[in-house]
Amino acid sequence: MKVLAPATIANFGPGFDVFGLCLDEPRDVIKIRESNEIEVKVEGFNVPEDPEKNVASISALALLKMLKAEMGFKMKVKKGIRPKSGLGSSGASALGGALAMATLLEVKNKELIIKAALEGEKAASGSAHGDNIVPSLFGGFTILKSLSPLEVFKLDVNFELVIVLPEVEVSTKRAREVLPKYVPLSDAVRNLALASALISALKEGDIEKVGKLLDDYLAIPYRKPLISWFDNVRRAALESGAYGVSLSGSGPAMFALGEDLRSIGEAMVEAFGNEGIRAEYFITKVGGGAKCLDV
């Protein structure tokens, strides 16, 4: 079996650990076949080939354990999403591994697949958060109400956006460690208002309004020491005509909505350059979720 597991944007502005957006590109490709041994080979970005340390194989092994099944496998991971980029790299690999194994075993229970994928995500980021795995599986824009029992609301949306990827890393584990256990009630209310209005704007297809609702008061303010360049790059994007801009997941990738996405991307890359950081941008669109193919 071969699984194409796409990149994602977690949080998507005010929706910390709840909102997720599936991207059409980039993606990880996971190939798997039954074997007498367990072996992992990696192409593309460098990630471990040890089956006990590779996120995709950890998820596949977790699913086997949940099913009380014993089976060897050979897995090939074509890593197309840069690790620690903020684009759901570990989530895509985790989902890809679990989904590939599930398809091989003809398991269709999505809750079980996600539960297995969360084991891989937990190994990579230190916590079993599903706001990358869920949109990578379902596609479109997702609202994760609950992981157990699984409750996901999906909006089928269609728009383009620009992603800017700087040559710095932000550890997801560290980015979660800096978050407080409690936040001011006023900040919680502001995020609730933004998130509610954003859903309404998405359903209306008003992308300009969506862009103006991407502020966040629950996570980004506390992560500023890890992303000191954020405010200057955001300012450059807005000055170049962006409707709105935010961090993708815990960063370092940023995304923006607007009309002239190329000019916005160039302005953000230049702003990163002014901070002494090389960056690149690419334009993508909302994706349809993971795909399973026969090899």
Side-chain angles (χ1 to χ4, degrees):
M1 292 303 306
K2 179 167 75 171
V3 171
L4 311 180
T8 52
I9 292 175
N11 304 339
F12 201 77
F16 178 69
D17 273 6
V18 175
F19 290 171
L21 185 77
C22 179
L23 301 179
D24 188 56
E25 292 282 353
R27 61 186 65 175
D28 286 352
V29 180
I30 315 290
K31 292 182 180 179
I32 192 171
R33 61 183 176 88
E34 191 172 351
S35 174
N36 293 325
E37 57 186 339
I38 297 176
E39 179 183 278
V40 178
K41 295 293 183 183
V42 174
E43 289 183 5
F45 289 107
N46 185 33
V47 293
E49 291 189 333
D50 182 343
E52 300 293 333
K53 295 181 180 179
N54 182 281
V55 172
S57 52
I58 289 172
S59 300
L61 289 166
L63 184 64
L64 286 172
K65 186 176 181 180
M66 291 170 189
L67 295 170
K68 296 181 172 58
E70 291 187 11
M71 187 184 82
F73 58 87
K74 288 190 175 182
M75 179 180 284
K76 186 174 182 180
V77 179
K78 188 174 181 182
K79 191 69 186 155
I81 309 170
R82 198 187 89 188
K84 298 181 181 178
S85 62
L87 294 174
S89 177
S90 57
S93 286
L95 173 68
L99 185 57
M101 179 59 75
T103 307
L104 199 63
L105 299 175
E106 299 184 351
V107 173
K108 297 182 180 180
N109 185 319
K110 288 185 177 180
E111 186 166 351
L112 192 63
I113 293 167
I114 289 174
K115 187 176 179 182
L118 286 171
E119 291 301 308
E121 182 71 285
K122 185 178 179 180
S125 64
S127 64
H129 57 98
D131 54 348
N132 288 117
I133 290 169
V134 166
S136 189
L137 176 61
F138 286 88
F141 182 91
T142 56
I143 305 164
L144 176 58
K145 179 180 180 290
S146 170
L147 280 170
S148 185
L150 181 64
E151 290 187 76
V152 176
F153 296 86
K154 177 185 172 185
L155 296 180
D156 290 315
V157 294
N158 181 26
F159 56 86
E160 290 189 330
L161 63 166
V162 62
I163 310 289
V164 180
L165 189 55
E167 292 185 4
V168 292
E169 290 186 352
V170 175
S171 165
T172 304
K173 286 184 179 180
R174 180 66 185 137
R176 296 187 79 84
E177 286 171 355
V178 300
L179 299 179
K181 289 185 178 180
Y182 303 97
V183 296
L185 178 62
S186 58
D187 287 345
V189 170
R190 284 200 283 184
N191 257 58
L192 180 60
L194 286 165
S196 302
L198 188 146
I199 295 301
S200 177
L202 281 172
K203 292 182 76 171
E204 293 170 2
D206 190 337
I207 303 306
E208 183 173 356
K209 189 181 291 183
V210 170
K212 298 181 186 305
L213 295 166
L214 293 176
D215 288 343
D216 168 65
Y217 298 93
L218 300 184
I220 290 178
Y222 303 98
R223 288 172 168 169
K224 287 286 181 73
L226 305 178
I227 51 170
S228 57
W229 32 262
F230 176 81
D231 286 333
N232 288 338
V233 177
R234 179 178 181 274
R235 187 180 306 111
L238 295 174
E239 289 176 353
S240 66
Y243 300 150
V245 58
S246 191
L247 202 62
S248 178
S250 59
M254 295 177 67
F255 72 94
L257 305 179
E259 187 171 340
D260 189 350
L261 295 176
R262 191 171 302 278
S263 294
I264 295 166
E266 290 171 352
M268 293 173 74
V269 167
E270 183 179 351
F272 269 114
N274 293 336
E275 299 286 328
I277 300 170
R278 293 183 61 180
E280 61 181 356
Y281 78 90
F282 62 92
I283 296 169
T284 187
K285 62 182 179 180
V286 180
K291 295 176 182 170
C292 303
L293 307 169
D294 288 325
V295 177

